[in-house]
Each structure stands twice: as structure tokens, then as C-alpha cells.
Amino acid sequence: MLRMLVGVGLLCLAQTALADSYWNHNGSVMRLVAEGNQRYFYYHQPSDKMQKAGVYAGELLFDGTKQGNHYHGTARVFSQYCQEPLTYGVSGNVSPNQTKITLIGTREKYAKGCRATGKITKDTLVFTYLYSD
């Protein structure tokens, strides 16, 4: 009985490890990590543009939850002018074929020196499925 429980536990761990998938987002390869209903998008291979903004592999872009085909959580915007990423709320849906996730939110624009401009902009984050481990 104990062997069976250990075997089932190892199988669950293996499936969790294989659950990571990779997605395109504005030319960057992102890694989606799923832990129960929690979802995390990390930069796996940041685009040249994002590297210039100070983004490195392993940097968190989104964390939140998935309920059904709906995502809700916090996104980050990176700027070469700010030491820390700026956070804002986003939400959106997974496409019916499960290969595209679109998240939408609004945030304040920032200028050089990481100064708030008082202007609000709408952000749309689109993730397109590439492959799984």
C-alpha cells in the first residue's frame, strides 16, 4: 500500500514538472507555470527589447489565478527608467482551443526618471502557445 501511495505521489510530481508550457509574448518566450489554480508567466527568453528594459530570464510578468477559462491577476510593466517593475491588475480569457490567452488591464504611464505622467493607458497582453516540456 505504501509503495502504491509513493508511486502515485511521484507520478503527480512528474506530471506537475511536465505541466510547464512555453508561449510567445511580443517576441519573448514565456514559461507558464501552473500550480493548482495559480498561474505564473515568467520570461524564459526575453526579447532584445525587454532585455534593454532590464528584464532577465526568470523574471515574473504575471501571477494570478485561473477559474475555468478566465485568468485574473497582476501584471508587471518593465522600464529602463524604473528600478522595480510597476504592477497593475489584468484579467482575460483563454481561447476555446486553449492556444491563446488574452489579458487586459489599465495602468498609469511613466516617463524618464520613473515619474508618473497622470495618463492612463490600456494594456493588452497576448500569449500564444508554442510548446510544452
Side-chain angles (χ1 to χ4, degrees), residues 55-108:
V55 173
Y56 56 87
E59 185 100 44
L60 180 66
L61 174 64
F62 169 84
D63 68 291
T65 58
K66 180 180 185 245
Q67 294 180 326
N69 283 330
H70 185 79
Y71 277 54
H72 178 80
T74 302
R76 287 143 185 86
V77 63
F78 299 88
S79 170
Q80 62 188 6
Y81 305 115
C82 300
Q83 289 185 337
E84 297 293 322
L86 308 166
T87 61
Y88 62 104
V90 293
S91 63
N93 295 309
V94 181
S95 66
N97 65 2
Q98 303 290 307
T99 60
K100 186 175 179 182
I101 301 167
T102 304
L103 304 175
I104 299 171
T106 57
R107 63 175 176 83
E108 191 166 9

Side-chain angles (χ1 to χ4, degrees), residues 8-36:
V8 169
L10 290 174
L11 180 61
C12 289
L13 286 174
Q15 287 178 340
T16 300
L18 296 176
D20 288 4
S21 55
Y22 297 85
W23 301 69
N24 177 61
H25 171 64
N26 292 338
S28 294
V29 176
M30 309 298 295
R31 181 171 56 97
L32 174 61
V33 176
E35 296 175 353

Side-chain angles (χ1 to χ4, degrees), residues 41-61:
F41 270 111
Y42 294 95
Y43 281 93
H44 182 66
Q45 295 173 337
S47 67
D48 289 343
K49 177 183 176 184
M50 294 312 298
Q51 288 179 37
K52 288 177 184 171
V55 173
Y56 56 87
E59 185 100 44
L60 180 66
L61 174 64

